[in-house]
Structure formats: structure tokens, C-alpha cells
Amino acid sequence: MTTVETPPTAPPRKAATVTRPGDRIFSGLSRGAGILLLVVMAAIAVFLTVRAVSAISKDHGNFLTTFEWTPSLNPPVFGIAVLAYGTVVSSIIAMLIAVPISLGIALFITHYAPRRLGGIIAYVIDLLAAVPSIVYGLWGALFLVPHLKGLNLWLDDYLSWTVIFHKSDPNSAARSLLTVGILLAIMILPIITNVSREVINQVPKMHQEAALALGATRWEVIRLSVLPFARSGVISASMLGLGRALGETMAVATVLSASPVLSAHILDPVGGTFSQNIVAKFGEADEFGRDALIASGLVLFVITLLVNGAARLIIARRKEYSGANA
Amino acid sequence: MSHSISDAKPAAAGAPAATRLASRRLPRWSPLAIAVGAIVVGVAIGAGFGLKSHLQWGLIALILFVGGSYAITAQVEGRRQAKDRVATSLIWASFILAVIPLYSLVQTTISKGVKVLDGTFLTHSMNNVLTIEPGGGVYHAIIGTLEQVAIATVIAAPIGILTAVYLVEYGRGTLAKWVTFFVDVMTGVPSIVAGLFILSLWFVALGKAPASGFAGSLALAILMLPVVVRSTEEMLKLVPNELREASLALGVPKWRTITKVVIPTALGGITTGVMLAIARIAGESAPIALLVFGSNMINTNPFSGPQSSLPYYIYQQYGNGNDPSYARAWGAALVLIAFVMILNLVARGIARWKAPKR
């Protein structure tokens, strides 16, 4: 921000001796736009914090460990324990499913499918990334939930002993964290696939041809020359997907039957996530209740900020030494 | 690496004399044969043990296929080839596994949406329509979406393009680094957080949070901004430096160079980026739920009173929890998908049409 104002133009020679007013206005405008963007980010943090602090200071429960969300009670009691747990668990399930499959599809497009078919698939998956989340939510609630009932019962039958896959009431609908995780996985598949595919496409052809020339099979080419090169790109793609899964609102709100219960049984229709809780409780909330929701939104904001920032740092570090992006 | 490659040598060396240089290979039809065999055995096991779910039959067949092809290939061609076969089948399986739900999503939306989609649905609001009865439509929601998205675009597109110009043409030093980093981070701001931000902004500025389409537009603009910056930046970087240098060498001021040479050259790509950003925010419902509240009536004024929007309409109709409402939700979902897909296709068409020829 303290850069020298007078010669903002790129040519370092004495071209900038005449500074025209138009130049100054335009460079000021564009710099202003950049600064505005930073101001908006700062404002998001500041405004959310201001409202959140006023809410948390009146919270009679522990904000971090309380299960219930009842800011309208007197005294108000609310906490994010269930929400944080639900958000993390559903996102982890989503990542466990989506990352290997996305990587598989990306490799399928770049290395296995016939070239023309691969192009078409890549295009279609690009388009699918644009399907609005509420449509996934609608499909998840009306189609996926009934169809996952069988899977739920099967898991309960055979894997009940793992505690995780124990279903307390076998007849309850599959509106559980597991279903949410599966739906989120389907939602973030296109993004992770797209970014991974772009990274894999950048793997130098020479490395792969060298491996082939040494007699490597196709899988060995991928394992020895493609994956090591693409690893950090795939990691950051996954973290972008994770950021999206963490913040996803509507698809969770339609599928999950929420309740303030923190349960290790991911088949039980209980739990909640940050954004689902905000949408669900917003309608009935008074002004204080909204501040409480803003407080939980601030936590979500910080979490996604950290995840995305980390993803970007990995990409940035990668750029410095790869040389393929130049 | 050297270790795994050297595995192949003993096999080749073990072959009698030098008559056969190639190692033994399975015939080309073998995967198909193994697949057929696996399916037959899978069905036999499934039927024999009386497993009800056909999905289980398929899973058994899949496991048999992977295991069978590994065993057979390992016998004939060696372990390395066998691993390759397994990897190939797993990658095909992951592709098929992903296609099923995505196909089902599109197919369900279209087949259920088409049932309610007609002229009445597109030209009527939900005013005076009982939620438990069929009828009504999405007209008010379409108006709301179009207005909110238009306002958001008017706000976000110029700021985004200017920011990108700053980053590409002027940006040196710390400020540019910070802006680049935060553009990336901003891409990941959840839509609900953008909604909460405008809400708290309203509280602090006005002391209350009145519902209006404009408030929703502000939140949408926040979501749109980083997408526009990112895509515009990529496009401006594609403009060859020779064009800039030629223009500057003729004595054209830098700002005229940017507005008359650089931006027109990249205009196709910038338009594509903006349209893709529009397609992204048109489907956002979380900020609308917090700031615009939704309404059953037509409200053409985005600056006062609640409005509806297509994604929020879907959420509302789903929340009603009865079949006529579900049908309307599917209809609206189809309209929304069609809108977003058309924007995408047109945007990509422009990108291809305007792409710099090499």
C-alpha cells in the first residue's frame, strides 16, 4: 500500500516523465477496486466479529461445548459443539468418498478414455459443477434419502459392531450425517475432478514417455510420473472441495433432520451443521437470536478461511518450483 | 523405479532361446470374457443365496471381476501387468460410480420438472394459491432472480474487471500480492457467510434488517466478485505483450492502451467469465433466505419488500412437504438448471468463438 505513486506504469525507462491525468485516474480507479476488495474481506471479519462478540458475551452456556441452540430462552444458552461435529464429520465423509473417485475420473479422462470421449466427459463435468446446490438438495431429499435406506440397513446389519455404523432405530429415514456426506461428495465431485484434471494435464509429457520407454505399464506411468507431479495440485483441489462442503447450506438443510444430539452413530438422523442451523433457525430468531447465528457463522467463516488459505498456499508454493505453469 | 522395472527381465530371459522377444500376453478379448464370467458367477451367487438387492449382485460381480482379472493376469503376464489391470478396472469403476448419481440427478429433474412446466407455470405467481393444491408458478421468482442477479452483476462486474486490470497491468509489490491472495480466499467464502455479513452490516448501519432484493444482491455481488476477478485476470494475461508495446510505442497513454487495446482483445473471455459468474450466483439460495425472505407475490421493486428467487422458491416449496409443492419444486429446479446451463453454454460458445487464434 506504500508503493510509490508517481510512476505506476510498467516500463521502467523514462517513459513516465509525462503523467497524464487520464492515466492517474485510471490507475487510481483500478487500484481502488483492488483495495475495495480487501476492505470488503476485512469488513466481513469485523462486522461478524462485532455482532458475534455481543452475542457470545450474553451466552449462559459455554459457546464451544454446549449442545443446545436456544438463544431465545431466558437466560440464553447456545453452543456450537453439535454443529462443529456435524460439519466436520459430514465433510470428512464427503472427502473420503469424493477425493479417490474424483482422482479416478480425472485419470480416466486424461489417461484411459478415448481422447474424444474424454473431452466430452470433461465438458459435461464442467457443466455439472454449475448445477445449483439447491437442486442437489432437492434431489438428495426426495431421491437419495429413500434410495439410501437399503444401504443404511445393510451397514447396520453387517457393520453394527463398529459403533459408527450402528443405527439406533432401523425404521428411521436415512436423513443422517452419512447421507449428507454422500450428497456433499456428489456435489464436490465435479470441482475436484476439474481442478485435478487440469493439474494432471500439466504433467510433462516427457516424463510419461520416458517411463513408457523404460517399459512401465500404464499404471506405473501414473504412479511414478503423474501422481508425484500432480500430488500438491490434487491436494489443493481437494481442499477447495472441502471448503465448499464445509460451507454448503441448502443441500444439508433439505436432507438432514436436525436435532441437538452429538452421536457417534452416523446413520442416526440427528446432528446439524453450521450453515444448516443458520438457515433452519433464522426464521424464528429475534434480533439476539440472529446475533447468535452470526456468531456461529463467524466460526464457519474462520474455518473456511483457514482451509482455503492453506489450499492456496500449497498451490502458490507449487508454482514456484514446478516450472510447468510458466 | 529401477527395481520394479527390472522385475520384467527374468521373465523375458527365462524364455527359451531368442525366438520370442515379447513376454506372454492375454488375448485382447480376455477382459470381456472375465467380465462375462464374473457377472454370471455373481448372478449365480446372488440368486443362489437369495440376496434381494440387485446392487449386491453387481458388487459381488465387480469384486469377482477385479480379483479374477488380477489372478489370471498375474498367472499369464506377471504381477506388474496384473496391477495395471486392477488399476484400470478401479478407474473405470470410479468413473461409472460417479456417473450414476450425476445422471440420476439430471434425469430426475428433467422427468419430474417437465410434468408441471407449461405456460401457466412460467407466467403465474403463487399469490392466492394454496400450497397443498397444484397450480401457481414461478413468475415472481423468475423476476426476483433476474433483478437480484442484474443488480449484483452491475456492482460486481466493473469492480471485478478493474481489480483484474490492476493485478495484471499495474499490480506490483505487496498490495497486489495481498489482493491476489484474498481474491483466492474470497472464492471460498460460503454463501451463507456473505448473507450474514450483509445482515450484520444492515444491523449496524440501520439498526434493523429490512427484507429487500437489493440486500440479497449485495451478498450475491460478494460471491460474484472473486469469480469475475479470477477469470478476467486469466484473460488479460492471455493478451500478447506485443500489442501493449506496439500501442505504447505509438505514444498512446497507458490507460487508453488498456481500454482500447487490451480489454477489447480480451472482451470475449471477460464476457465468458462474467456469464459463468452469473450462472454461479443465480443458483445461490442461502443469502436470499436471510436477506430477501421470499414472497408469494410479484414484487418488481428490488429495493423494498421481500422478493422471491428461483433457488429460494425451490427451498420453500420443498419445505411445504406435500406432493403438489414437490412437483412445483421440480419444475422450478428444471427452470433454474435450464437457465444456468444456457448461460454456461452461451458463455463457452463465446469463449470458443472469440478465442485468440493461434
Side-chain angles (χ1 to χ4, degrees), chain A:
Chain A
M1 298 192 192
T2 54
T3 42
V4 192
E5 185 64 57
T6 33
T9 45
R13 274 163 252 127
K14 53 184 174 179
T17 41
V18 191
T19 318
R20 297 178 184 81
D23 261 345
R24 201 172 285 169
I25 294 170
F26 193 73
S27 75
L29 267 181
S30 62
R31 173 174 309 202
I35 294 173
L36 180 68
L37 193 139
L38 292 182
V39 169
V40 168
M41 280 304 281
I44 293 178
V46 169
F47 277 90
L48 290 184
T49 312
V50 167
R51 305 301 295 182
V53 165
S54 82
I56 295 174
S57 63
K58 290 175 199 143
D59 186 1
H60 278 246
N62 185 323
F63 183 64
L64 294 179
T65 57
T66 307
F67 285 14
E68 290 83 15
W69 193 269
T70 46
S72 52
L73 283 187
N74 193 16
V77 174
F78 56 92
I80 56 168
V82 172
L83 309 180
Y85 175 79
T87 306
V88 169
V89 167
S90 59
S91 301
I92 288 177
I93 297 170
M95 298 303 285
L96 286 180
I97 300 171
V99 172
I101 294 184
S102 304
L103 187 58
I105 306 172
L107 287 172
F108 179 78
I109 293 170
T110 53
H111 286 78
Y112 284 85
R115 179 157 296 200
R116 184 167 295 180
L117 179 68
I120 294 170
I121 296 167
Y123 191 79
V124 170
I125 290 193
D126 247 8
L127 282 183
L128 282 171
V131 172
S133 61
I134 181 69
V135 179
Y136 280 101
L138 187 67
W139 177 79
L142 296 183
F143 183 90
L144 193 63
V145 165
H147 281 79
L148 279 185
K149 183 134 198 205
L151 176 72
N152 268 314
L153 291 176
W154 187 86
L155 285 173
D156 184 37
D157 275 354
Y158 293 98
L159 296 172
S160 192
W161 50 271
T162 56
V163 179
I164 298 175
F165 292 118
H166 175 73
K167 199 167 163 70
S168 307
D169 173 13
N171 291 320
S172 58
R175 296 180 171 276
S176 58
L177 284 179
L178 178 70
T179 309
V180 170
I182 292 174
L183 182 61
L184 289 177
I186 297 170
M187 283 185 64
I188 60 178
L189 261 179
I191 313 160
I192 304 183
T193 305
N194 281 342
V195 182
S196 308
R197 177 177 56 88
E198 275 163 24
V199 177
I200 290 172
N201 267 335
Q202 287 178 357
V203 176
K205 275 274 162 333
M206 288 297 197
H207 291 195
Q208 303 177 48
E209 285 164 7
L212 280 174
L214 287 172
T217 61
R218 188 153 49 172
W219 168 243
E220 283 163 351
V221 171
I222 289 170
R223 194 167 57 84
L224 298 171
S225 76
V226 175
L227 290 186
F229 188 91
R231 183 183 296 131
S232 67
V234 173
I235 292 175
S236 58
S238 315
M239 288 176 86
L240 292 183
L242 175 63
R244 201 153 161 193
L246 288 170
E248 178 46 44
T249 310
M250 285 309 185
V252 183
T254 49
V255 168
L256 192 65
S257 84
S259 57
V261 178
L262 198 155
S263 163
H265 312 316
I266 57 172
L267 297 179
D268 284 351
V270 294
T273 73
F274 283 114
S275 37
Q276 170 271 330
N277 185 56
I278 294 171
V279 164
K281 299 281 164 64
F282 186 81
E284 67 208 34
D286 53 6
E287 198 181 324
F288 178 73
R290 291 181 181 183
D291 279 353
L293 292 174
I294 288 173
S296 73
L298 177 67
V299 179
L300 175 66
F301 177 63
V302 171
I303 294 175
T304 50
L305 212 64
L306 292 178
V307 169
N308 280 296
R312 297 301 174 177
L313 285 179
I314 293 175
I315 298 180
R317 234 184 58 204
R318 176 81 208 177
K319 261 186 197 150
E320 276 164 22
Y321 68 85
S322 83
N325 300 326

Side-chain angles (χ1 to χ4, degrees), chain A residues 9 22-23 27 30 33 105 112 126-127 130 139 141 143 154 175 214-215 217 219-220 250 254 279 305 308 312, chain B residues 5 56 80-81 84 88 91 98 104-105 163 166 170 184-185 188 200 254-255 285 315 318 340-341 344 348:
Chain A
T9 45
D23 261 345
S27 75
S30 62
I105 306 172
Y112 284 85
D126 247 8
L127 282 183
W139 177 79
F143 183 90
W154 187 86
R175 296 180 171 276
L214 287 172
T217 61
W219 168 243
E220 283 163 351
M250 285 309 185
T254 49
V279 164
L305 212 64
N308 280 296
R312 297 301 174 177
Chain B
I5 297 299
Q56 289 186 22
R80 290 175 49 223
Q81 251 64 27
D84 186 47
T88 306
I91 282 172
S104 153
L105 172 83
T163 308
Y166 170 73
Y170 295 100
D184 285 339
V185 171
S200 50
K254 177 150 186 164
W255 74 279
S285 36
Y315 182 62
Y318 168 75
V340 168
M341 287 301 148
N344 262 278
R348 279 155 212 274

Side-chain angles (χ1 to χ4, degrees), chain B residues 305-316:
Chain B
Q307 274 190 315
S308 193
S309 89
L310 272 175
Y312 189 63
Y313 175 89
I314 300 172
Y315 182 62
Q316 270 185 321

